[in-house]
Amino acid sequence: MNEQFKRRIAAGALIVAFFVTWEALCILLGVSDLVLPRPSQVFTTLFTRINVLWPHIVQTLMTTMVGFACGVSVGVIIGSVIGVSRTAYDTAYPLLIGFSSIPKVAVVPIFVLWFGSGTVPAILTAIVICFFPIVVNIATGLATTEPEQEDTLKALGASKFDILWNVGLPRTMPFFFAALKVAITYAFVGTVLSETVASNRGIGNVMMSASSNFDVPLVFAGLFILAGMGVTLYAIFSAIEGRVIGWATRKNEIAT
Amino acid sequence: MHTLLVMNSMHKLTPSPVGSQIAAAQRHIRTPAVELSQATVTFGRGDNQVPALSETSLKIGDGEFLALVGPSGCGKSTILKLAAGLIKPTTGAVFVGGREVEAKALRIGMAFQNPTLLPWLTIEKNVMMPLKIVRPFRHEFRAKKKTEFRDRVHALLEEVGLKGFANHYPWQLSGGMLQRANLCRALVHEPRLLLLDEPFGALDQFTREELWSTLQDLWLKLKPTVLLVTHDLKEAGYLAERICVMSARPGRILDDSAVNFPRPRTVEMTFEPGFVELNQRLRGLIVEARSGNTATSEVRP
């Protein structure tokens, strides 16, 4: 416990030190706030204009969560199918790789063309950008299940579904959570990307218009908000992860 | 007809003590629970073919305790997997409970050297797993998992000396304890056929001897048919009613002996002359099989 407390103090101290150094360097070198605003300016902007920013925060958060939820669902389904069936894996993998190597910026204009600007292309971008790590991790987790664990159930006459439900999926949970933490940050990237290109709402849009007005502190305020939301969601999934798959991270605990 | 036991080529191995041993073992066969009829298993395809088992016929009587010994990689585990229905013979047939094996005519329990308990479940839930899968228990699982099934699991755990560990996780237990839990899982659904693949291989001598005794007690009580694959000749002699020796890959059955020591057996009995003699004879056969003297070249006509 004491050890953990020390680690937290150290992590917190580093963050504070980062901002202090930034502030100090800006003052010492006389950096213009048009280039790089000081953290104190950014936080001031954040708090004084929170009323204006709030609807955009909600918009970005909701869009991201919807996209993330859909992306995870799609990812889990595709990942389960190609993880369980060797044939499906061999058939679908080349297409998936091809799909995932397309830079997602390139698909935003297509979504805008189809659905107009606004929320829908943002959700879709979040989906396409965040489902792939889920697919890969679920598929890997399922494909690397220990054959003996499966055999023990097979000898009992278990169906494929029994094995998937009782061995495959629980075993895949650590992989799944690792993927969730990557996917949630990706979903933010997707949403903000789309908002930047084609939307009149959301943090991405706020940053875009702020930068064309040379309102640099507001641009940075947008960045801070995104970082804050990303960290919060990451922490939430981390906490759930700790509860669900404690068995996989037991080395941090004291065996009784 | 149910006394056909031996390799098609066995007669070529005479003169040796093998013939007489076979005759002795044949008398012990009751209704066969498992029957391999000229089963061959080949892994891989084309140039990568690896023959794992050459034409093998074997009958295991209902309620019999049979041990399979032989050099490593000789196809012992292959026979076990055939009986479990995990693989199919390339040629020949395998009958379990009188039916072709896919029919799953018998309830099967299985345990490997690696306990393969699921790390995300407690010992109780691990042991309960077969009841969740196997008919007819699975239909009652929801209704009984907190009452009858739970009591059954606890009783079994107590019997093997794991009282009070039901709510522990596998990683909190030692190797010997895990293997005890593994045995419980293999037995909880009262299987008629128990398949054990070197279940005590990774344990120290004393834990192993303790578990022999536990397994013997459980066998005497429940009388399932047991097929035990092992490297340990002492273990085979202590536990089995019948011991089959296999040749090097591709495996064949070289020798089939009955073991007639009285039950319940004790570790002390393993030092008696009769036991030592059996051990040495089996050891001789395996050494011979390893060096390849029983030439695979003369197996096929």
Side-chain angles (χ1 to χ4, degrees):
Chain A
M1 200 62 214
N2 205 8
E3 197 62 30
Q4 199 184 3
F5 187 66
K6 271 186 200 163
R7 276 204 298 262
R8 283 189 184 167
I9 293 285
L14 183 65
I15 294 170
V16 173
F18 172 75
F19 284 122
V20 169
T21 315
W22 177 354
E23 184 89 27
L25 281 177
C26 283
I27 295 169
L28 284 175
L29 303 176
V31 180
S32 154
D33 63 1
L34 275 180
V35 178
L36 181 64
R38 285 174 278 125
S40 59
Q41 285 175 304
V42 176
F43 283 115
T44 313
T45 313
L46 198 58
F47 287 115
T48 52
R49 297 167 78 169
I50 191 73
N51 287 339
V52 188
L53 285 168
W54 187 248
H56 296 285
I57 294 175
V58 173
Q59 166 74 16
T60 299
L61 191 61
M62 290 316 291
T63 311
T64 305
M65 290 318 288
V66 172
F68 174 68
C70 297
V72 169
S73 311
V74 174
V76 167
I77 293 167
I78 298 180
S80 299
V81 172
I82 69 172
V84 168
S85 155
R86 183 77 218 177
T87 321
Y89 187 92
D90 292 340
T91 314
Y93 220 63
L95 180 66
L96 279 169
I97 295 287
F99 192 73
S100 79
S101 39
I102 297 171
K104 298 305 174 300
V105 195
V107 298
V108 178
I110 301 172
F111 287 145
V112 174
L113 194 69
W114 289 344
F115 302 103
S117 63
T119 312
V120 179
I123 290 176
L124 288 174
T125 315
I127 293 174
V128 298
I129 210 167
C130 84
F131 89 100
F132 195 71
I134 305 270
V135 171
V136 172
N137 278 277
I138 293 266
T140 310
L142 288 176
T144 56
T145 305
E146 283 172 55
E148 287 192 340
Q149 284 181 345
E150 286 186 19
D151 282 356
T152 318
L153 289 200
K154 264 190 214 158
L156 296 170
S159 66
K160 278 217 159 196
F161 180 80
D162 284 336
I163 293 171
L164 180 68
W165 188 251
N166 290 300
V167 178
L169 287 180
R171 211 201 87 90
T172 303
M173 281 302 117
F175 294 87
F176 178 64
F177 275 101
L180 276 191
K181 291 189 284 187
V182 177
I184 189 64
T185 48
Y186 277 20
F188 268 113
V189 173
T191 307
V192 173
L193 187 68
S194 177
E195 284 171 353
T196 312
V197 177
S199 180
N200 48 14
R201 285 197 297 168
I203 297 295
N205 173 254
V206 169
M207 287 170 68
M208 201 61 193
S209 52
S211 79
S212 50
N213 295 336
F214 294 100
D215 191 351
V216 185
L218 187 60
V219 176
F220 274 81
L223 273 187
F224 281 23
I225 289 168
L226 290 175
M229 287 198 287
V231 169
T232 310
L233 286 168
Y234 185 97
I236 290 171
F237 286 116
S238 249
I240 300 173
E241 179 185 23
R243 286 179 155 263
V244 177
I245 55 159
W247 58 270
T249 52
R250 65 196 173 235
K251 286 190 184 85
N252 299 331
E253 297 167 24
I254 299 154
T256 48
Chain B
M1 189 57 225
H2 59 186
T3 49
L4 171 72
L5 244 194
V6 199
M7 313 301 317
N8 56 343
S9 57
M10 194 56 96
H11 60 277
K12 291 194 173 177
L13 294 171
T14 52
S16 75
V18 171
S20 60
Q21 290 301 332
I22 289 160
Q26 280 173 353
R27 267 176 264 127
H28 281 262
I29 294 185
R30 299 175 280 266
T31 333
V34 179
E35 180 179 356
L36 271 67
S37 170
Q38 312 219 318
T40 315
V41 175
T42 309
F43 291 120
R45 284 181 189 166
D47 292 342
N48 297 323
Q49 276 197 349
V50 183
L53 193 67
S54 61
E55 269 182 39
T56 300
S57 294
L58 171 71
K59 283 191 178 189
I60 309 173
D62 188 26
E64 191 171 34
F65 198 130
L66 179 101
L68 270 179
V69 296
S72 51
C74 70
K76 302 186 293 280
S77 301
T78 307
I79 290 186
L80 201 93
K81 284 182 177 162
L82 280 173
L86 294 173
I87 53 174
K88 288 179 190 164
T90 314
T91 62
V94 176
F95 301 93
V96 173
R99 281 195 254 167
E100 288 249 25
V101 85
E102 295 100 286
K104 290 275 185 295
L106 278 187
R107 273 215 292 272
I108 295 174
M110 202 165 184
F112 296 97
Q113 175 176 347
N114 178 353
T116 69
L117 294 174
L118 304 173
W120 53 89
L121 295 179
T122 59
I123 296 301
E124 176 188 299
K125 288 189 176 142
N126 262 299
V127 173
M128 219 182 262
M129 183 61 80
L131 299 175
K132 197 175 172 185
I133 304 289
V134 176
R135 261 173 269 273
F137 306 107
R138 70 181 295 162
H139 301 299
E140 308 164 336
F141 187 74
R142 273 178 184 282
K144 294 189 178 170
K145 68 178 171 184
K146 295 244 166 83
T147 56
E148 192 190 318
F149 289 173
R150 195 172 162 277
D151 295 343
R152 182 195 287 213
V153 167
H154 282 244
L156 202 53
L157 286 174
E158 190 172 344
E159 205 158 335
V160 302
L162 284 179
K163 193 176 187 228
F165 288 96
N167 293 320
H168 283 58
Y169 283 88
W171 49 272
Q172 297 172 307
L173 269 59
S174 69
M177 289 158 100
L178 288 176
Q179 206 47 267
R180 283 166 209 269
N182 195 20
L183 268 185
C184 288
R185 183 178 58 176
L187 286 164
V188 71
H189 54 301
E190 291 175 2
R192 293 314 305 150
L193 175 59
L194 186 58
L195 303 169
L196 305 173
D197 195 348
E198 294 178 36
F200 313 129
L203 304 175
D204 67 277
Q205 188 62 35
F206 296 102
T207 311
R208 202 181 303 166
E209 285 168 2
E210 257 172 60
L211 282 169
W212 291 350
S213 160
T214 309
L215 179 57
Q216 176 173 252
D217 293 346
L218 290 168
W219 178 70
L220 287 171
K221 201 171 128 197
L222 305 167
K223 277 285 177 170
T225 309
V226 184
L227 177 53
L228 169 73
V229 164
T230 181
H231 282 306
D232 186 341
L233 297 174
K234 210 165 144 187
E235 177 172 302
Y238 182 110
L239 286 165
E241 291 189 296
R242 204 177 127 202
I243 301 176
C244 290
V245 180
M246 293 191 66
S247 70
R249 178 179 285 256
R252 299 173 299 119
I253 292 168
L254 290 177
D255 181 74
D256 190 330
S257 332
V259 184
N260 293 318
F261 306 113
R263 303 264 186 192
R265 295 174 191 159
T266 59
V267 174
E268 284 68 40
M269 287 168 72
T270 63
F271 301 110
E272 284 170 16
F275 196 101
V276 174
E277 197 182 310
L278 171 75
N279 239 337
Q280 281 171 346
R281 196 175 63 76
L282 295 175
R283 190 172 173 281
L285 285 165
I286 293 173
V287 169
E288 207 178 325
R290 274 169 59 91
S291 62
N293 281 349
T294 49
T296 41
S297 58
E298 68 168 320
V299 171
R300 285 172 188 281

